[in-house]
Amino acid sequence: MIKPLKLQTRFAYYSSFFILIIVVFAGLLFYLTISDALQTQLGKRALYLAETTANRGDVLAAFKTDNPTEALQRISTNIMMTTDAAYVVIGNENGIRYTHPITERIGKPMVGDDNARALLDGESYISIANGSMGQSIRGKAPVFDTDGTTILGVVSIGYLTSELDNLYLQYLDNIFYIMMIALFIGILGSIFLSRSIKKQIFNLEPNEIANLFTEKNALIESVREAIITVNHKGEITTLNNAAAKILHLSDKDSVIGENIEHHVPNTHLLEVLTYGKKQHDKPMIINGNEVIVNRVPIKMNGKIVGAVASFRLQSEIDQLAIELSQVKQYTEALRAQTHEFNNILYTISGLIQLNASDEALSIIHKEVQGQSSLTQFITNRVKDPFLNGLIIGFFNRARELKVKLIFDEDSYLETLPDNIEKSLIISIMGNLLTNAFEEVEKNKDRPPIVRLFVFDNGEEIIIEVEDSGNGLAQEKLELLFSENISTKDAKFRGYGLRKVISSVQELNGKLALEKGDLSGALFIASISKGGM
């Protein structure tokens, strides 16, 4: 297979070929222009000489002599010598020659059949005709008598076209040299231009550029984040389907070239274009949607040529946080369960080594019976496997923390309907229990007790989490539902409670805070079974 030429080589070849065509075409036009100009100038010169000769007094006087040829031949010869004309022929009113460069042709009719306009109409003109000496450019003028109306004869002065060809060849040499110089300069320019273009496209070949363009489009469409790029004028150059969805655009290609402010009035991309500073994780609202935006300038050779913004819905980020929180809760529950069973196994191992088999068996039976009884009770009261697994895990966590976790015996919950997102229910219950465990650990005046109640009344799912902690001050109640606050001192605390509120709101539920019978906080979450 023939290896395709590189872009730089192809560009140099093609541009050189086009330059050659242009140079040849320009040279041909130049040659034709010069030849036409020479022919016109010679015609005007011949006409001027013919008119001047026809108006000379000695010529008019010679016409009135008995032998006009004698005087006119001498005049014609002098004119030919001084003007380099090919011939000067003077004829009478019938077109019979009085003069001619070849004396044998004197007295014979003039050749060319182009004397009528001069002899009959009295016109002076230029003509090209074949005469006795060959094709020539002629200037013809009538010779008038002193009355100005009687035509006595005609003067014909001509230049042979064969002599013009020799003159053309002299100019053609010059034209050829000019064409070669222009072609050489054009080829050098095309080589320089091809190198410059190749450098600007990072030495990439067209197929490589096409592959990069295809890969770029596939890349920006494959990511879940919305992506918008603008040029240095703030005009949209690229956006993916995720961005078009957030901007409520049915045809994303229709906005290409439009200013970003027309579609995102509160954009800060123009600031990035002006100052060139990156902006990470900035919140904003687009079409009523809360989003988190990253903005980065696009630079080329140190100059800002555009900017790119990537953003994602806050709700999607919150959902990821919820899922991570669930994973953490399951991990903690499994860790607590593993830790508790390890303690029991160590105890049993020690009793066996002490030959206290009866005590070891008693612990085994008690643990099996207690775990089986707890599992059976929770399974009978909560039919959903995700929730009863979470509750069992928190019982193990409570045992590890030395917290008494009470699962209300009046609790009852069927399997969650499909229209309710289970992950949100798990997040609500898990975060409320985690917060309750932390609250009771801080209160050293009362026994650490946490009560959990889950109930399905047919229309709503009720989740109650009560603790024996210090509770929350009543004046913080409203603030709790509007801001990310916490009664804890550690950094980033309060995030779990905010997640509880957002999850309840996403399920179109309600969250209430009361003072419970255990003297601590009582959180009541009610979720409609109608779903979101």
Side-chain angles (χ1 to χ4, degrees):
M1 297 180 64
I2 300 177
K3 186 177 181 181
L5 296 176
K6 293 185 177 180
L7 176 63
Q8 180 177 344
T9 305
R10 277 187 289 169
F11 186 88
Y13 283 168
Y14 294 157
S15 58
S16 298
F17 176 72
F18 289 135
I19 290 172
L20 175 62
I21 293 177
I22 293 172
V23 167
V24 171
F25 184 71
L28 181 60
L29 288 179
F30 187 53
Y31 173 78
L32 293 176
T33 301
I34 290 178
S35 62
D36 184 67
L38 289 173
Q39 183 174 303
T40 301
Q41 291 301 319
L42 283 176
K44 290 181 179 180
R45 184 178 181 183
L47 178 61
Y48 173 75
L49 292 174
E51 290 177 338
T52 303
T53 303
N55 292 327
R56 288 176 59 166
D58 54 352
V59 171
L60 182 59
F63 264 90
K64 295 181 179 182
T65 63
D66 295 334
N67 186 14
T69 299
E70 183 179 356
L72 293 177
Q73 181 71 4
R74 184 175 62 254
I75 295 172
S76 298
T77 303
N78 291 334
I79 295 174
M80 289 176 56
M81 294 178 62
T82 56
T83 61
D84 293 329
Y87 61 85
V88 176
V89 176
I90 301 175
N92 63 14
E93 70 276 10
N94 297 318
I96 302 300
R97 299 186 185 107
Y98 283 151
T99 67
H100 196 280
I102 303 174
T103 57
E104 289 81 3
R105 297 178 182 177
I106 295 174
K108 296 181 179 180
M110 299 172 69
V111 180
D113 297 328
D114 56 348
N115 290 330
R117 291 171 59 189
L119 295 176
L120 298 178
D121 301 329
E123 294 183 19
S124 298
Y125 54 92
I126 300 171
S127 70
I128 300 177
N130 290 317
S132 60
M133 298 180 68
Q135 191 181 59
S136 61
I137 300 173
R138 306 175 175 188
K140 289 184 177 291
V143 179
F144 290 97
D145 198 354
T146 54
D147 58 6
T149 57
T150 303
I151 300 175
L152 301 177
V154 62
V155 176
S156 178
I157 299 177
Y159 293 89
L160 296 177
T161 56
S162 59
E163 295 180 358
L164 277 178
D165 293 338
N166 295 330
L167 190 59
Y168 293 160
L169 291 176
Q170 295 178 9
Y171 282 100
L172 186 60
D173 290 340
N174 296 331
I175 294 173
F176 178 77
Y177 293 137
I178 294 174
M179 289 172 56
M180 291 298 100
I181 293 174
L183 180 61
F184 179 73
I185 295 175
I187 292 174
L188 288 180
S190 65
I191 294 174
F192 175 79
L193 184 60
S194 64
R195 289 181 179 178
S196 177
I197 293 175
K198 192 68 181 294
K199 184 178 181 181
Q200 290 181 5
I201 59 176
F202 305 102
N203 294 321
L204 295 174
E205 294 298 315
N207 61 320
E208 295 173 334
I209 296 174
N211 290 336
L212 286 177
F213 181 78
T214 303
E215 291 172 3
K216 185 208 76 169
N217 288 338
L219 177 63
I220 65 173
E221 293 298 345
S222 64
V223 297
R224 296 184 61 185
E225 286 193 350
I227 297 176
I228 297 179
T229 61
V230 298
N231 59 18
H232 66 284
K233 297 180 181 179
E235 297 170 342
I236 299 174
T237 56
T238 305
L239 76 161
N240 61 358
N241 289 328
K245 183 178 180 181
I246 292 178
L247 296 177
H248 300 162
L249 298 174
S250 58
D251 182 11
K252 65 178 184 179
D253 294 330
S254 62
V255 302
I256 300 298
E258 296 184 6
N259 196 285
I260 184 66
E261 289 185 314
H262 295 166
H263 300 278
V264 187
N266 55 338
T267 182
H268 293 277
L269 270 179
L270 301 183
E271 296 178 6
V272 177
L273 290 173
T274 303
Y275 302 107
K277 293 184 178 180
K278 299 179 181 180
Q279 299 179 3
H280 293 294
D281 300 327
K282 300 294 182 181
M284 69 178 299
I285 297 178
I286 300 178
N287 290 336
N289 298 315
E290 294 183 10
V291 297
I292 301 298
V293 186
N294 295 303
R295 307 179 185 96
V296 180
I298 302 173
K299 295 183 178 181
M300 182 177 294
N301 298 325
K303 183 180 179 181
I304 299 174
V305 297
V308 58
S310 61
F311 49 94
R312 195 165 185 178
L313 292 173
Q314 177 69 53
S315 58
E316 294 181 358
I317 298 176
D318 291 344
Q319 181 63 32
L320 290 176
I322 291 172
E323 294 176 0
L324 290 175
S325 177
Q326 295 168 6
V327 173
K328 181 179 179 181
Q329 291 169 7
Y330 277 121
T331 303
E332 288 293 328
L334 291 174
R335 190 189 65 81
Q337 186 174 5
T338 302
H339 185 266
E340 184 65 21
F341 276 103
N342 282 339
N343 291 336
I344 296 172
L345 289 175
Y346 293 150
T347 303
I348 294 174
S349 176
L351 291 173
I352 292 175
Q353 292 179 18
L354 295 173
N355 293 323
S357 56
D358 293 338
E359 290 78 358
L361 288 173
S362 176
I363 291 177
I364 293 173
H365 289 307
K366 182 178 179 180
E367 184 63 29
V368 171
Q369 184 178 4
Q371 190 68 23
S372 176
S373 176
L374 174 64
T375 303
Q376 184 176 3
F377 174 73
I378 294 175
T379 304
N380 289 335
R381 309 307 295 178
V382 179
K383 304 299 183 180
D384 193 279
F386 287 95
L387 290 181
N388 60 41
L390 179 66
I391 295 171
I392 292 172
F394 270 100
F395 263 99
N396 293 322
R397 176 62 175 164
R399 182 185 301 177
E400 181 184 20
L401 296 175
K402 308 301 181 184
V403 175
K404 183 178 181 181
L405 176 59
I406 301 174
F407 185 52
D408 197 302
E409 61 183 9
D410 292 329
S411 297
Y412 184 80
L413 179 66
E414 290 287 347
T415 302
L416 293 175
D418 295 334
N419 61 331
I420 294 181
E421 183 63 44
K422 293 182 180 181
S423 61
L424 297 178
I425 298 293
I426 292 173
S427 175
I428 294 170
M429 183 183 297
N431 280 299
L432 287 177
L433 287 173
T434 299
N435 287 343
F437 286 173
E438 293 179 355
E439 284 298 318
V440 298
E441 283 185 325
K442 294 191 301 182
N443 190 352
K444 306 299 181 181
D445 298 332
R446 289 191 291 271
I449 303 174
V450 175
R451 183 183 69 86
L452 172 64
F453 173 70
V454 183
F455 189 72
D456 181 358
N457 62 11
E459 296 181 356
E460 291 180 321
I461 296 173
I462 309 298
I463 300 175
E464 293 184 4
V465 177
E466 182 183 1
D467 62 69
S468 61
N470 295 322
L472 290 176
Q474 189 66 27
E475 60 270 15
K476 293 184 178 180
L477 181 60
E478 296 297 329
L479 190 61
L480 175 65
F481 289 92
S482 61
E483 297 185 14
N484 181 22
I485 69 162
S486 175
T487 58
K488 311 175 185 69
D489 297 329
K491 189 177 182 181
F492 301 126
R493 292 300 182 92
Y495 181 78
L497 198 51
R498 185 173 72 86
K499 281 301 171 187
V500 171
I501 295 172
S502 64
S503 297
V504 171
Q505 291 175 343
E506 192 168 347
L507 290 170
N508 291 327
K510 297 179 181 179
L511 181 65
L513 173 62
E514 300 178 1
K515 187 173 182 179
D517 297 335
L518 299 177
S519 300
L522 170 61
F523 285 95
I524 304 174
S526 57
I527 310 299
S528 174
K529 293 185 70 175
M532 296 179 285

